[in-house]
Amino acid sequence: MKPVIFGLSGLTVTADERRFFVEAEPLGFILFKRNIENRAQLLALTDQLRGMTGRDDLPILIDQEGGRVARMGPPEWPAFPAGPAFEALYDVAPISAIEAVRVHAEATGVMLAEVGINVDCWPMLDIAQPNTAEIITIRALGREPMRVAAMGRAILDGLARAGVVGVVKHMPGHGRALVDSHLELPRVTADEAALEVDLEPFRRLADAPMGMTTHIVFDVWDAARPATLSPIVVEQVIRGKIGFDGLLMTDDIDMKALSGTAGEKAAAAIAAGCDVVLDCWGRMDEMVEIVERLDDIAAVSRARLDRAMAGVTARRSDVAFAELVAKRDALLALV
């Protein structure tokens, strides 16, 4: 098995993709809007991926947060709110906000599990600052570490009740970035004392099954390399200061914050201590290069994967999807 999660080109696995994936044995797959048409098609696609790999516990990922970051949406699925809606409720009624985001996450998980998706790249634990880039503020759970951690825990719990694994992101924190790492490389100049605020939610959720890095340079830790490619940040900050021992994946290595070829970036991320590379766009030439550059998954990374996916179980709640959504909406109406 290669330590990489690949995207797909379209609504089905093509013949060329099938030949490549069977030989390469990637750790898992991630889906985007280009891969999604309706329930029947999406379930057929996830069944196709599992049949192709012969792995019932195959990680099939998606970014389904609500708001602007939602790969599954109308008209096939309802539109869901994003993090700021729950932060607003927290200002009024903290306990209600935690319960609202928990049932929101459970409803999301039910929606994903119905079509064979078992990993959601969520919750986002980045602490919003006054000048944080919009790519974060439109999604953030808040500006105070304890409330972000509390709501992040509720999201993990809600997803788990639906049989879906959550991924905490973006370690060690994207909230101080002034630019969007999809488009350029952010640099953070804050000192260690200030960055303790950013680390706190991740530290509180250090037992999360999966986590995702951020493509940001933190001058105080490693002024030469972004976190994803920095052994210092991965080992001393994410594994050390935060204490995270779950499966650590990169953010999408195709983002413009990173430079180099796909294979170079993938190899550098694994060398830095990441367990798995996330490559989202399904470009065959880039996927081939990545596989050629990567060794098989390390034993410690495979153990983290197995531990994370052992948490994927049958749904533990008998509450219907519509009831979960109605309860969430009633709580959000308190604002």
Side-chain angles (χ1 to χ4, degrees), residues 5-9 17 21 29-30 32 34 279-282 287:
I5 295 166
F6 282 136
L8 308 168
S9 62
E17 286 174 333
F21 292 144
F29 299 93
I30 186 166
F32 288 84
R34 67 179 182 273
D279 179 64
C280 294
W281 291 98
M287 293 192 294

Side-chain angles (χ1 to χ4, degrees), residues 18 21-22 26 29 48-56 58:
R18 180 182 178 85
F21 292 144
V22 168
F29 299 93
Q48 185 182 15
L49 291 171
R50 290 193 171 89
M52 177 184 71
T53 61
R55 292 159 56 197
D56 290 338
L58 175 73

Side-chain angles (χ1 to χ4, degrees), residues 81-261:
F86 301 96
E87 181 190 17
L89 177 57
Y90 198 105
D91 288 335
V92 177
I95 293 175
S96 295
I98 292 169
E99 178 62 4
V101 81
R102 186 196 66 77
V103 296
H104 171 69
E106 186 175 348
T108 300
V110 169
M111 191 170 76
L112 301 184
E114 179 188 41
V115 291
I117 296 169
N118 55 13
V119 181
D120 193 1
C121 298
W122 185 49
M124 196 186 78
L125 303 182
D126 305 314
I127 302 295
Q129 303 289 336
N131 54 356
T132 296
E134 184 189 41
I135 190 65
I136 298 299
T137 59
I138 61 171
R139 303 153 65 193
L141 290 166
R143 301 175 183 273
E144 196 280 316
M146 292 303 99
R147 72 165 63 183
V148 170
M151 289 195 283
R153 174 67 68 189
I155 289 169
L156 289 176
D157 291 347
L159 290 172
R161 287 181 64 83
V164 173
V165 176
V167 181
V168 296
K169 59 186 186 185
H170 305 83
M171 293 183 177
H174 203 303
R176 295 181 189 273
L178 306 184
V179 296
D180 182 352
S181 56
H182 292 85
L183 306 176
E184 56 185 299
L185 176 62
R187 179 176 293 272
V188 170
T189 59
D191 62 22
E192 283 211 63
L195 289 172
E196 281 294 312
V197 173
D198 305 71
L199 298 185
E200 191 59 26
F202 295 105
R203 190 177 282 129
R204 296 277 176 170
L205 273 66
D207 60 345
M210 296 185 182
M212 180 183 290
T213 65
T214 185
H215 305 328
I216 294 176
V217 171
F218 295 89
D219 283 351
V220 70
W221 293 320
D222 188 342
R225 292 167 292 195
T228 297
L229 307 183
S230 170
I232 296 170
V233 175
V234 172
E235 297 301 333
Q236 296 182 20
V237 181
I238 296 175
R239 299 297 189 194
K241 290 178 179 290
I242 290 173
F244 178 73
D245 192 36
L247 185 79
L248 184 65
M249 67 185 72
T250 72
D251 205 344
D252 180 15
I253 60 166
D254 188 63
M255 291 162 61
K256 299 301 182 282
L258 301 184
S259 58
T261 69

